[in-house]
Amino acid sequence: MWFELRYVEMAEVVVLLDLSISPFGSRVRIALAEKGIKYEYREEEVKDKIILNKSSLLLQMNPIHKKIPVLIHNGKPICESLIIVQYIDEVWNDKSPLLPSDPYERAQAMFWADFVDKKIYDCGKKIWMNKGEEQEPGKQELIECLKLLEGELGDKPYFGGDNLGFVDVALLPLHCWFYAYETCGNFSIEVECPKLVAWAKRCMERESVLNSLPNQNLVYDYILQVRKRTGIE
Amino acid sequence: MFCKCSSSPRLCLGSAMATSDVKLLGAWASPYVMRPRIALNIKSVSYEFLEETFESKSQLLLQSNPVHKKMPVLIHADKPICESLIIVQYIDEIWTNGPSILPSDPYDRAIARFWAAYIDDKWFPSIIGITRAQGEEAKAVATAVAIEQVSAGLVVLEEAFEKCSKGKGYFGGEQIGYVDIVLGSFLGWTRMTEKMNGVKLIDEAKTPGLVGWAERFCANNAVKEVMPETEKLEEIAKMIQAKFRAPPPK
């Protein structure tokens, strides 16, 4: 019995509370896959395709925000997607580093991930939560922001250099939303930002990414449901 | 009395670990600027404080932070670092000889980052809600709602303080840490809001732990000379409110 207890203590128990369509959850999934970490995936229930039916475990583990994703590592919860990704990088530091080791480079990576968080999702929302002329400011701002990111990418294959890094993980899930933005907004992101779209395609060739992201049609379906529910469509 | 560094650019205090070429672009009234100043003080790093004015942004600021065009910006060996939380983490990682600002354990670090994000994204915007409410028609109702939100947030932070401090004086334990800097930098504006609205936000009844913590924080050597005076912040707040109420230019 003592021997059994010791075995359990030594094993890492990792649980992810998530929703497959969530871009924030996807970030954590990509990080876990890049590091080859085994974990139990728990999908939160959804009513009517869009309303989250929050499990008691979620409410217990994230009482402040009551949101996914939540990583539970050996019983202890970590919340907020980028904080979780940083935690994963620090704990499982033996392979596939996501953040650079140089403090200045690390600060730059955190800056651009923060930029993605502050700007991209909100710009996209301004597009799909509106219609017609009201979408224009969102479209313009999104393209401006994506062009800035293209500038940061430069000629590197990934934002992280030769391998996936923190900024790649932060931005990639939002790429699944591009199809929805383009269809709702009737414009092409690829025409404006070909380098960024090429980067996304390159990333999608990696199994860790492919298996972690929802299908863009599912994302579009979700957005249509929200537009119908809020009376935009 | 203004902060010592509020006039022309000059070398700041903390020369024990004098490092060449450390500049900070900022303004004395900004809580976000206060954060790297406290961090540099903790590490005893001397730096040149380049004061920005409220009216216009300097060329150096626009060049160093072209994306957001905001302060603070730390310029270390001619390389800019932006966003106050990122700057504080950078300072902690570069100057390893001084006391640590973030905990060493990854889980504790994640908790510290969580609270920093909560303070910045949820709690401080609710304080702005009080100041904004002053400028609106149904101000009494709006102010009451905003105050309720801030107080509820402080009760959450009181609990966080109990858990993180583990009976010691700061969120960081025996010494000022990351969460202390993030929340403490807002104390000036919190006190100013209390005074201007005749309310007690951090009070003995609901948040006794935070009352003691706030006094301790403001008296700390790394903090006291960079904490702006409440009266001076009141003047700034009145200026901002006047701008809100001013009719749009024709």
Side-chain angles (χ1 to χ4, degrees), chain B residues 165-211:
Chain B
S165 65
K166 300 185 177 80
K168 306 283 195 263
Y170 299 102
F171 284 87
E174 302 259 359
Q175 289 167 343
I176 284 185
Y178 191 62
V179 182
D180 299 282
I181 294 175
V182 176
L183 184 59
S185 60
F186 286 131
L187 277 172
W189 284 87
T190 306
R191 285 174 169 170
M192 182 272 298
T193 306
E194 286 177 332
K195 203 168 171 200
M196 285 181 78
N197 291 277
V199 287
K200 247 336 193 155
L201 295 168
I202 302 180
D203 75 350
E204 273 295 340
K206 289 192 196 155
T207 56
L210 289 180
V211 169

Tab-separated table of all heavy atoms in Angstrom, chain B residues 165-211:
chain	number	residue	atom	x	y	z
B	165	SER	N	0.293	36.028	1.629
B	165	SER	CA	1.237	36.538	2.618
B	165	SER	C	1.618	35.484	3.652
B	165	SER	O	2.700	35.547	4.231
B	165	SER	CB	0.653	37.756	3.327
B	165	SER	OG	-0.499	37.375	4.073
B	166	LYS	N	0.718	34.537	3.878
B	166	LYS	CA	0.935	33.465	4.871
B	166	LYS	C	1.361	34.078	6.215
B	166	LYS	O	2.313	33.636	6.845
B	166	LYS	CB	2.002	32.474	4.376
B	166	LYS	CG	1.638	31.773	3.064
B	166	LYS	CD	2.683	30.714	2.707
B	166	LYS	CE	2.326	29.946	1.465
B	166	LYS	NZ	2.634	30.640	0.200
B	167	GLY	N	0.666	35.106	6.611
B	167	GLY	CA	0.914	35.711	7.924
B	167	GLY	C	2.011	36.771	7.930
B	167	GLY	O	2.232	37.445	8.932
B	168	LYS	N	2.719	36.919	6.783
B	168	LYS	CA	3.777	37.948	6.746
B	168	LYS	C	3.190	39.272	6.241
B	168	LYS	O	1.993	39.373	6.025
B	168	LYS	CB	4.914	37.491	5.810
B	168	LYS	CG	5.472	36.137	6.137
B	168	LYS	CD	6.393	36.232	7.349
B	168	LYS	CE	7.209	35.010	7.471
B	168	LYS	NZ	7.135	33.952	8.117
B	169	GLY	N	4.078	40.260	6.039
B	169	GLY	CA	3.590	41.620	5.778
B	169	GLY	C	3.141	41.934	4.362
B	169	GLY	O	2.431	42.913	4.144
B	170	TYR	N	3.575	41.160	3.383
B	170	TYR	CA	3.304	41.505	1.993
B	170	TYR	C	2.759	40.296	1.240
B	170	TYR	O	2.910	39.155	1.678
B	170	TYR	CB	4.596	41.976	1.302
B	170	TYR	CG	5.224	43.202	1.926
B	170	TYR	CD1	6.338	43.100	2.755
B	170	TYR	CD2	4.696	44.473	1.684
B	170	TYR	CE1	6.907	44.227	3.324
B	170	TYR	CE2	5.261	45.606	2.258
B	170	TYR	CZ	6.369	45.472	3.072
B	170	TYR	OH	6.926	46.596	3.636
B	171	PHE	N	2.161	40.531	0.074
B	171	PHE	CA	1.748	39.444	-0.801
B	171	PHE	C	2.970	38.579	-1.104
B	171	PHE	O	2.879	37.359	-1.222
B	171	PHE	CB	1.201	39.989	-2.139
B	171	PHE	CG	-0.182	40.569	-2.058
B	171	PHE	CD1	-0.381	41.891	-1.709
B	171	PHE	CD2	-1.294	39.788	-2.352
B	171	PHE	CE1	-1.664	42.432	-1.646
B	171	PHE	CE2	-2.582	40.319	-2.299
B	171	PHE	CZ	-2.762	41.643	-1.944
B	172	GLY	N	4.124	39.215	-1.210
B	172	GLY	CA	5.364	38.504	-1.521
B	172	GLY	C	5.989	37.840	-0.308
B	172	GLY	O	7.063	37.256	-0.402
B	173	GLY	N	5.343	37.937	0.862
B	173	GLY	CA	5.877	37.340	2.093
B	173	GLY	C	6.576	38.396	2.941
B	173	GLY	O	6.010	39.430	3.259
B	174	GLU	N	7.873	38.130	3.261
B	174	GLU	CA	8.624	39.064	4.108
B	174	GLU	C	8.944	40.364	3.386
B	174	GLU	O	9.145	41.408	4.000
B	174	GLU	CB	9.972	38.421	4.506
B	174	GLU	CG	9.847	37.121	5.227
B	174	GLU	CD	10.042	37.277	6.725
B	174	GLU	OE1	10.293	38.409	7.181
B	174	GLU	OE2	9.912	36.272	7.438
B	175	GLN	N	9.054	40.264	2.063
B	175	GLN	CA	9.439	41.443	1.272
B	175	GLN	C	8.421	41.740	0.200
B	175	GLN	O	7.629	40.877	-0.183
B	175	GLN	CB	10.775	41.168	0.591
B	175	GLN	CG	11.926	41.143	1.549
B	175	GLN	CD	13.165	40.568	0.902
B	175	GLN	OE1	13.103	39.917	-0.132
B	175	GLN	NE2	14.302	40.817	1.506
B	176	ILE	N	8.512	42.957	-0.316
B	176	ILE	CA	7.639	43.360	-1.429
B	176	ILE	C	7.887	42.439	-2.612
B	176	ILE	O	9.036	42.173	-2.977
B	176	ILE	CB	7.942	44.818	-1.833
B	176	ILE	CG1	7.333	45.771	-0.809
B	176	ILE	CG2	7.374	45.130	-3.214
B	176	ILE	CD1	7.485	47.225	-1.187
B	177	GLY	N	6.787	41.945	-3.200
B	177	GLY	CA	6.897	41.092	-4.377
B	177	GLY	C	6.060	41.648	-5.510
B	177	GLY	O	5.583	42.792	-5.470
B	178	TYR	N	5.879	40.838	-6.515
B	178	TYR	CA	5.207	41.231	-7.745
B	178	TYR	C	3.804	41.783	-7.512
B	178	TYR	O	3.466	42.873	-7.981
B	178	TYR	CB	5.166	39.990	-8.645
B	178	TYR	CG	4.744	40.202	-10.071
B	178	TYR	CD1	5.473	41.007	-10.934
B	178	TYR	CD2	3.638	39.526	-10.588
B	178	TYR	CE1	5.105	41.159	-12.265
B	178	TYR	CE2	3.265	39.674	-11.918
B	178	TYR	CZ	4.006	40.487	-12.745
B	178	TYR	OH	3.649	40.628	-14.071
B	179	VAL	N	2.981	41.055	-6.777
B	179	VAL	CA	1.589	41.482	-6.579
B	179	VAL	C	1.543	42.767	-5.735
B	179	VAL	O	0.711	43.638	-5.975
B	179	VAL	CB	0.741	40.369	-5.930
B	179	VAL	CG1	-0.710	40.805	-5.773
B	179	VAL	CG2	0.795	39.102	-6.776
B	180	ASP	N	2.451	42.880	-4.770
B	180	ASP	CA	2.517	44.106	-3.959
B	180	ASP	C	2.737	45.307	-4.881
B	180	ASP	O	2.071	46.339	-4.763
B	180	ASP	CB	3.679	44.043	-2.959
B	180	ASP	CG	3.529	42.894	-1.987
B	180	ASP	OD1	2.736	43.031	-1.039
B	180	ASP	OD2	4.185	41.849	-2.189
B	181	ILE	N	3.689	45.165	-5.820
B	181	ILE	CA	4.001	46.270	-6.734
B	181	ILE	C	2.793	46.595	-7.600
B	181	ILE	O	2.422	47.756	-7.787
B	181	ILE	CB	5.209	45.921	-7.624
B	181	ILE	CG1	6.471	45.788	-6.773
B	181	ILE	CG2	5.409	46.980	-8.701
B	181	ILE	CD1	7.700	45.324	-7.550
B	182	VAL	N	2.142	45.551	-8.136
B	182	VAL	CA	1.024	45.771	-9.061
B	182	VAL	C	-0.136	46.470	-8.360
B	182	VAL	O	-0.678	47.451	-8.862
B	182	VAL	CB	0.577	44.432	-9.691
B	182	VAL	CG1	-0.649	44.623	-10.574
B	182	VAL	CG2	1.705	43.831	-10.514
B	183	LEU	N	-0.509	45.971	-7.177
B	183	LEU	CA	-1.638	46.578	-6.466
B	183	LEU	C	-1.229	47.887	-5.790
B	183	LEU	O	-1.956	48.876	-5.844
B	183	LEU	CB	-2.196	45.592	-5.424
B	183	LEU	CG	-3.452	46.050	-4.669
B	183	LEU	CD1	-4.609	46.341	-5.623
B	183	LEU	CD2	-3.874	45.023	-3.626
B	184	GLY	N	-0.046	47.865	-5.193
B	184	GLY	CA	0.428	49.041	-4.460
B	184	GLY	C	0.558	50.281	-5.338
B	184	GLY	O	0.342	51.403	-4.876
B	185	SER	N	0.883	50.080	-6.607
B	185	SER	CA	1.037	51.227	-7.504
B	185	SER	C	-0.279	51.967	-7.690
B	185	SER	O	-0.293	53.133	-8.077
B	185	SER	CB	1.606	50.783	-8.852
B	185	SER	OG	0.748	49.844	-9.453
B	186	PHE	N	-1.393	51.304	-7.381
B	186	PHE	CA	-2.702	51.954	-7.521
B	186	PHE	C	-3.169	52.638	-6.237
B	186	PHE	O	-4.253	53.221	-6.206
B	186	PHE	CB	-3.769	50.929	-7.942
B	186	PHE	CG	-3.665	50.502	-9.389
B	186	PHE	CD1	-3.682	49.160	-9.724
B	186	PHE	CD2	-3.564	51.441	-10.405
B	186	PHE	CE1	-3.594	48.756	-11.057
B	186	PHE	CE2	-3.470	51.051	-11.739
B	186	PHE	CZ	-3.483	49.703	-12.060
B	187	LEU	N	-2.362	52.552	-5.171
B	187	LEU	CA	-2.806	53.089	-3.882
B	187	LEU	C	-3.028	54.600	-3.916
B	187	LEU	O	-3.977	55.103	-3.317
B	187	LEU	CB	-1.810	52.738	-2.767
B	187	LEU	CG	-1.991	51.344	-2.173
B	187	LEU	CD1	-0.843	51.011	-1.227
B	187	LEU	CD2	-3.325	51.233	-1.438
B	188	GLY	N	-2.150	55.312	-4.626
B	188	GLY	CA	-2.306	56.768	-4.717
B	188	GLY	C	-3.672	57.115	-5.297
B	188	GLY	O	-4.421	57.922	-4.745
B	189	TRP	N	-4.006	56.498	-6.421
B	189	TRP	CA	-5.281	56.789	-7.085
B	189	TRP	C	-6.465	56.300	-6.249
B	189	TRP	O	-7.536	56.901	-6.265
B	189	TRP	CB	-5.296	56.168	-8.490
B	189	TRP	CG	-4.457	56.977	-9.430
B	189	TRP	CD1	-3.112	56.858	-9.646
B	189	TRP	CD2	-4.876	58.085	-10.222
B	189	TRP	NE1	-2.685	57.820	-10.524
B	189	TRP	CE2	-3.734	58.585	-10.903
B	189	TRP	CE3	-6.111	58.712	-10.440
B	189	TRP	CZ2	-3.790	59.680	-11.786
B	189	TRP	CZ3	-6.166	59.800	-11.321
B	189	TRP	CH2	-5.012	60.268	-11.977
B	190	THR	N	-6.265	55.195	-5.533
B	190	THR	CA	-7.344	54.688	-4.673
B	190	THR	C	-7.649	55.702	-3.580
B	190	THR	O	-8.818	56.026	-3.320
B	190	THR	CB	-6.949	53.334	-4.053
B	190	THR	OG1	-6.561	52.441	-5.103
B	190	THR	CG2	-8.090	52.715	-3.285
B	191	ARG	N	-6.580	56.200	-2.930
B	191	ARG	CA	-6.769	57.179	-1.842
B	191	ARG	C	-7.394	58.456	-2.368
B	191	ARG	O	-8.242	59.071	-1.708
B	191	ARG	CB	-5.423	57.499	-1.195
B	191	ARG	CG	-4.956	56.387	-0.305
B	191	ARG	CD	-3.580	56.636	0.215
B	191	ARG	NE	-3.266	55.679	1.263
B	191	ARG	CZ	-2.075	55.522	1.785
B	191	ARG	NH1	-1.075	56.252	1.354
B	191	ARG	NH2	-1.861	54.626	2.729
B	192	MET	N	-6.975	58.860	-3.556
B	192	MET	CA	-7.523	60.068	-4.168
B	192	MET	C	-9.004	59.883	-4.429
B	192	MET	O	-9.813	60.780	-4.150
B	192	MET	CB	-6.747	60.364	-5.460
B	192	MET	CG	-7.150	61.606	-6.185
B	192	MET	SD	-8.482	61.344	-7.356
B	192	MET	CE	-7.747	60.186	-8.489
B	193	THR	N	-9.386	58.708	-4.922
B	193	THR	CA	-10.796	58.417	-5.199
B	193	THR	C	-11.600	58.424	-3.898
B	193	THR	O	-12.727	58.932	-3.851
B	193	THR	CB	-10.935	57.046	-5.898
B	193	THR	OG1	-10.106	57.036	-7.059
B	193	THR	CG2	-12.365	56.766	-6.308
B	194	GLU	N	-11.014	57.870	-2.836
B	194	GLU	CA	-11.683	57.858	-1.524
B	194	GLU	C	-11.958	59.290	-1.077
B	194	GLU	O	-13.073	59.630	-0.650
B	194	GLU	CB	-10.802	57.170	-0.469
B	194	GLU	CG	-10.739	55.662	-0.596
B	194	GLU	CD	-9.800	55.022	0.423
B	194	GLU	OE1	-8.837	55.677	0.859
B	194	GLU	OE2	-10.044	53.860	0.782
B	195	LYS	N	-10.947	60.130	-1.203
B	195	LYS	CA	-11.063	61.512	-0.725
B	195	LYS	C	-12.097	62.273	-1.536
B	195	LYS	O	-12.967	62.949	-0.974
B	195	LYS	CB	-9.697	62.185	-0.871
B	195	LYS	CG	-9.498	63.360	0.039
B	195	LYS	CD	-8.055	63.811	0.072
B	195	LYS	CE	-7.994	65.137	0.829
B	195	LYS	NZ	-6.785	65.889	0.529
B	196	MET	N	-12.028	62.136	-2.856
B	196	MET	CA	-12.923	62.919	-3.718
B	196	MET	C	-14.372	62.474	-3.627
B	196	MET	O	-15.276	63.236	-3.951
B	196	MET	CB	-12.450	62.847	-5.177
B	196	MET	CG	-11.227	63.710	-5.412
B	196	MET	SD	-10.654	63.667	-7.114
B	196	MET	CE	-11.815	64.752	-7.917
B	197	ASN	N	-14.590	61.232	-3.192
B	197	ASN	CA	-15.962	60.738	-3.106
B	197	ASN	C	-16.453	60.569	-1.683
B	197	ASN	O	-17.569	60.123	-1.459
B	197	ASN	CB	-16.079	59.393	-3.842
B	197	ASN	CG	-15.940	59.562	-5.340
B	197	ASN	OD1	-16.886	59.895	-6.016
B	197	ASN	ND2	-14.730	59.358	-5.842
B	198	GLY	N	-15.600	60.874	-0.724
B	198	GLY	CA	-15.975	60.752	0.682
B	198	GLY	C	-16.317	59.322	1.075
B	198	GLY	O	-17.249	59.067	1.823
B	199	VAL	N	-15.547	58.350	0.526
B	199	VAL	CA	-15.794	56.947	0.897
B	199	VAL	C	-14.497	56.318	1.370
B	199	VAL	O	-13.410	56.779	1.044
B	199	VAL	CB	-16.308	56.106	-0.298
B	199	VAL	CG1	-17.722	56.452	-0.641
B	199	VAL	CG2	-15.386	56.244	-1.494
B	200	LYS	N	-14.663	55.210	2.095
B	200	LYS	CA	-13.506	54.414	2.496
B	200	LYS	C	-13.571	53.134	1.675
B	200	LYS	O	-14.519	52.359	1.818
B	200	LYS	CB	-13.602	54.083	3.977
B	200	LYS	CG	-12.626	54.637	5.009
B	200	LYS	CD	-11.360	55.047	4.696
B	200	LYS	CE	-10.217	55.365	5.485
B	200	LYS	NZ	-9.019	55.155	4.643
B	201	LEU	N	-12.591	52.946	0.784
B	201	LEU	CA	-12.617	51.729	-0.032
B	201	LEU	C	-11.846	50.614	0.675
B	201	LEU	O	-12.327	49.520	0.859
B	201	LEU	CB	-12.032	52.015	-1.423
B	201	LEU	CG	-12.862	52.999	-2.261
B	201	LEU	CD1	-12.090	53.458	-3.488
B	201	LEU	CD2	-14.189	52.378	-2.674
B	202	ILE	N	-10.598	50.934	1.075
B	202	ILE	CA	-9.819	49.972	1.868
B	202	ILE	C	-10.118	50.333	3.327
B	202	ILE	O	-9.630	51.341	3.825
B	202	ILE	CB	-8.314	50.096	1.581
B	202	ILE	CG1	-8.057	49.876	0.082
B	202	ILE	CG2	-7.526	49.084	2.403
B	202	ILE	CD1	-6.589	49.986	-0.323
B	203	ASP	N	-10.989	49.514	3.970
B	203	ASP	CA	-11.378	49.892	5.334
B	203	ASP	C	-11.186	48.759	6.330
B	203	ASP	O	-11.108	47.587	5.971
B	203	ASP	CB	-12.810	50.430	5.354
B	203	ASP	CG	-13.855	49.336	5.206
B	203	ASP	OD1	-13.490	48.186	4.901
B	203	ASP	OD2	-15.046	49.634	5.409
B	204	GLU	N	-11.136	49.141	7.616
B	204	GLU	CA	-10.848	48.194	8.691
B	204	GLU	C	-11.895	47.100	8.791
B	204	GLU	O	-11.586	45.968	9.154
B	204	GLU	CB	-10.809	48.948	10.046
B	204	GLU	CG	-9.458	49.535	10.399
B	204	GLU	CD	-8.364	48.495	10.626
B	204	GLU	OE1	-8.677	47.322	10.884
B	204	GLU	OE2	-7.176	48.878	10.532
B	205	ALA	N	-13.131	47.456	8.501
B	205	ALA	CA	-14.214	46.495	8.689
B	205	ALA	C	-14.118	45.337	7.693
B	205	ALA	O	-14.153	44.170	8.073
B	205	ALA	CB	-15.559	47.198	8.568
B	206	LYS	N	-13.996	45.682	6.394
B	206	LYS	CA	-14.046	44.631	5.367
B	206	LYS	C	-12.669	44.120	4.963
B	206	LYS	O	-12.531	42.967	4.564
B	206	LYS	CB	-14.746	45.166	4.106
B	206	LYS	CG	-16.225	45.376	4.259
B	206	LYS	CD	-16.857	45.606	2.887
B	206	LYS	CE	-18.244	46.204	3.028
B	206	LYS	NZ	-18.614	46.962	1.810
B	207	THR	N	-11.672	44.986	4.992
B	207	THR	CA	-10.353	44.588	4.476
B	207	THR	C	-9.233	44.996	5.427
B	207	THR	O	-8.351	45.776	5.074
B	207	THR	CB	-10.114	45.228	3.080
B	207	THR	OG1	-10.253	46.650	3.194
B	207	THR	CG2	-11.085	44.707	2.037
B	208	PRO	N	-9.269	44.447	6.666
B	208	PRO	CA	-8.275	44.848	7.675
B	208	PRO	C	-6.847	44.504	7.265
B	208	PRO	O	-5.915	45.267	7.524
B	208	PRO	CB	-8.698	44.074	8.919
B	208	PRO	CG	-9.534	42.942	8.425
B	208	PRO	CD	-10.187	43.405	7.171
B	209	GLY	N	-6.687	43.360	6.614
B	209	GLY	CA	-5.353	42.943	6.171
B	209	GLY	C	-4.756	43.950	5.202
B	209	GLY	O	-3.588	44.343	5.308
B	210	LEU	N	-5.582	44.407	4.260
B	210	LEU	CA	-5.115	45.356	3.250
B	210	LEU	C	-4.817	46.727	3.851
B	210	LEU	O	-3.949	47.448	3.353
B	210	LEU	CB	-6.128	45.487	2.110
B	210	LEU	CG	-6.258	44.280	1.176
B	210	LEU	CD1	-7.302	44.539	0.095
B	210	LEU	CD2	-4.917	43.949	0.520
B	211	VAL	N	-5.522	47.097	4.920
B	211	VAL	CA	-5.262	48.390	5.580
B	211	VAL	C	-3.818	48.397	6.090
B	211	VAL	O	-3.041	49.317	5.807
B	211	VAL	CB	-6.246	48.641	6.743
B	211	VAL	CG1	-5.805	49.830	7.583
B	211	VAL	CG2	-7.658	48.872	6.225
